[in-house]
Amino acid sequence: MGFLVTSAIFFLAGFIACMFSLLCCNRGASTNIFHLTLVITATVCCWMMWAIVYLAQMKPLINPILSGE
């Protein structure tokens, strides 16, 4: 449940950032496409970093070593 909800939050934040860049930085067609590309790339990279860290905690590669004390 947490993965889907947070993924939806990233999607919503990316959509809002795209709309914000279109409204505030309207300087022509090619510049708008460049800004949208940067915003979408940044959103996807942030989501991928979060997803990798989140999923890595589900099955860690290193098991804890219990002491015999």
Side-chain angles (χ1 to χ4, degrees):
M1 174 86 173
F3 186 81
L4 293 177
V5 171
T6 310
S7 295
I9 291 171
F10 269 102
F11 178 77
L12 183 65
F15 182 76
I16 291 171
C18 285
M19 292 298 118
F20 184 75
S21 70
L22 283 176
L23 291 174
C24 295
C25 303
N26 193 5
R27 296 185 182 161
S30 63
T31 306
N32 286 346
I33 291 175
F34 180 66
H35 288 162
L36 287 178
T37 304
L38 289 177
V39 169
I40 292 170
T41 302
T43 305
V44 169
C45 288
C46 288
W47 174 81
M48 282 179 57
M49 185 64 198
W50 171 83
I52 289 169
V53 170
Y54 182 82
L55 294 174
Q57 294 177 22
M58 291 184 155
K59 185 166 175 84
L61 296 176
I62 301 171
N63 292 330
I65 300 171
L66 300 175
S67 62
E69 298 178 289

